[in-house]
Amino acid sequence: MTDVLSVDPERPDPTVIERAALIIRTGGLVAFPTETVYGLGADAFNDDAVARIFAAKERDPADPVIVHLADAGDLPLAARDVPPLARALAERFWPGPLTLVLPRAERVSPRVSAGLPTVAVRVPAHAVARALIHAAGVPVAAPSANRFGRTSATTAAHVLADLDGRIDLVLDGGPTFHGLESTVVAVEDGRVSVLRPGALTVEALNGALAELGAPPAELRRSGPSAGSPGLLDRHYAPRSPLILVRGPAAAVRAWLKEALDARPDTPLGLLLFDEDAAALQPLRPLHRLAALGSRRELAGAARKLFAAMRELDAASPAAIYAVEPDLEGLGLAMADRLRRAAAEVVDLGPREDPTARTA
Ligand code: AMP
Ligand code: MG
């Protein structure tokens, strides 16, 4: 059975946290809110507990898990030989949605790293997450709290939809703030490479690197690679096929209009920015819209993205149509998730300069 306990996201009740921490210390699994998405936590030193994460999620054992610390000062528990540039980035961005890939400390279960000599580490900026990790007294290995390959969980209800009966406890601290996972970077020879774009934008990262006198981050192409084995081409997928449309705004809207006109009596899902949705009104009753808000307010859109995908998917539409955001700021991470969630990408050519775009 999976218990659910409500917690105040800012001032969690210490007795609730202690109950959850006891489960972690004794090898169990607790889902908890972070500022990015909900994590599924286990004692990172306990090999059997980490194995339970993989079993509950049905996660590929070759996909390594991020280790969460209560405080940057605990870094030696999880990692060793931390390069000065990584230390400077941790100082700048922790607590927060930056994950650093570093040489793994001996006590961390090798299962966490899927056999790699490295470990991915971060300090989350969420009072519940930090209180839990602090009370557990061990680094907490925690991937996103969803079934492997499916859409990440941004509410306790999403966690239960995927993992009820498979984990011991869910701490319900309400919806998460960013709604996208952390940005994962590797630091080698004074250079930073982004292995997975995320809630910390590349622009913010590069701003800090410039101040530190380091070159801008290199963007690794997503897809299975030695750099980050978990970056599968297909991930975050809803059950209904997601069709991602990219290109100039006018072409995208015309394409969508035609696609909808061709299937007036088919249940379809639409995952759209308000600007694109407005151009397609009125919608037919079977064409259901999950609006992300304005494409100019990507923080709000990112926060809604995974919940909107799940909401549309729940109605089992024949297809879900989504439009790719501009590839800047949080748009880069949103586009990454959408591409990997997509069964098909419709490319209508290069888009216009986003700074010149109106409407
Ligand atoms: P999550 O499911 O949010 O915990 O995502 C974990 C992701 O972080 C993995 O899928 C990898 O892409 C990345 N990651 C974790 N550990 C490592 C590592 N040791 N080296 C490279 N990438 C890692
Ligand atoms: Mg995940």
Side-chain angles (χ1 to χ4, degrees):
M1 270 318 303
T2 299
D3 286 327
V4 182
L5 294 173
S6 286
V7 277
D8 184 312
E10 270 142 44
R11 277 183 211 78
D13 179 347
T15 54
V16 172
I17 292 297
E18 188 41 49
R19 220 173 118 181
L22 181 63
I23 293 172
I24 299 277
R25 281 200 297 275
T26 52
L29 301 182
V30 177
F32 59 95
T34 78
E35 81 280 28
T36 58
V37 299
Y38 272 73
L40 177 60
D43 177 354
F45 290 158
N46 180 333
D47 206 49
D48 293 336
V50 175
R52 272 183 209 114
I53 293 179
F54 284 85
K57 288 189 52 133
E58 295 174 34
R59 186 182 179 99
D60 178 354
D63 187 359
V65 170
I66 295 170
V67 170
H68 295 69
L69 302 172
D71 201 273
D74 295 336
L75 193 51
L77 293 176
R80 55 185 176 74
D81 305 330
V82 180
L85 183 57
R87 218 171 265 288
L89 289 175
E91 211 161 281
R92 173 73 181 74
F93 291 112
W94 286 355
L98 174 70
T99 296
L100 297 168
V101 173
L102 298 165
R104 176 162 44 84
E106 202 174 331
R107 279 180 78 193
V108 173
S109 159
R111 217 183 273 275
V112 161
S113 308
L116 296 170
T118 53
V119 64
V121 192
R122 83 175 187 106
V123 176
H126 193 294
V128 173
R130 293 183 75 189
L132 172 64
I133 301 161
H134 184 75
V138 288
V140 172
S144 52
N146 50 275
R147 292 278 191 107
F148 184 62
R150 296 277 162 205
T151 310
S152 302
T154 57
T155 67
H158 297 162
V159 177
L160 288 172
D162 278 19
L163 300 172
D164 195 10
R166 294 169 165 251
I167 64 178
D168 299 296
L169 175 67
V170 183
L171 291 177
D172 182 355
T176 59
F177 178 74
H178 292 297
L180 289 174
E181 299 83 350
S182 61
T183 301
V184 180
V185 306
V187 184
E188 272 157 352
D189 306 324
R191 304 188 75 90
V192 170
S193 28
V194 175
L195 304 181
R196 174 180 78 180
L200 176 70
T201 64
V202 172
E203 291 86 344
L205 181 63
N206 282 341
L209 289 172
E211 277 171 32
L212 294 164
E218 177 203 341
L219 287 182
R220 295 259 176 98
R221 224 192 70 77
S222 68
S225 74
S228 204
L231 293 178
L232 306 178
D233 274 339
R234 192 145 157 73
H235 203 147
Y236 308 101
R239 289 185 163 75
S240 295
L242 188 144
I243 298 165
L244 180 62
V245 191
R246 57 187 304 200
V252 164
R253 289 167 193 172
W255 189 95
L256 280 173
K257 186 162 184 333
E258 205 166 298
L260 297 182
D261 284 346
R263 301 168 92 180
D265 301 317
T266 306
L268 297 173
L270 295 166
L271 183 62
L272 300 178
F273 291 107
D274 290 354
E275 292 88 343
D276 298 319
L280 296 171
Q281 298 295 348
L283 294 174
R284 294 187 181 80
L286 287 179
H287 297 171
R288 195 190 157 122
L289 171 69
L292 293 172
S294 170
R295 63 164 64 241
R296 296 180 175 285
E297 294 181 27
L298 288 180
R303 197 173 294 141
K304 290 183 196 131
L305 180 67
F306 289 140
M309 272 168 66
R310 280 178 179 261
E311 178 200 314
L312 290 173
D313 206 28
S316 302
I320 297 173
Y321 293 104
V323 175
E324 193 178 77
D326 296 325
L327 304 181
E328 53 181 28
L330 291 171
L332 189 67
M334 291 178 72
D336 169 78
R337 305 305 186 265
L338 284 166
R339 279 182 210 160
R340 285 192 277 139
E344 186 187 337
V345 178
V346 176
D347 194 341
L348 301 175
R351 72 187 82 208
E352 58 277 76
D353 175 3
T355 53
R357 170 174 286 170
T358 52

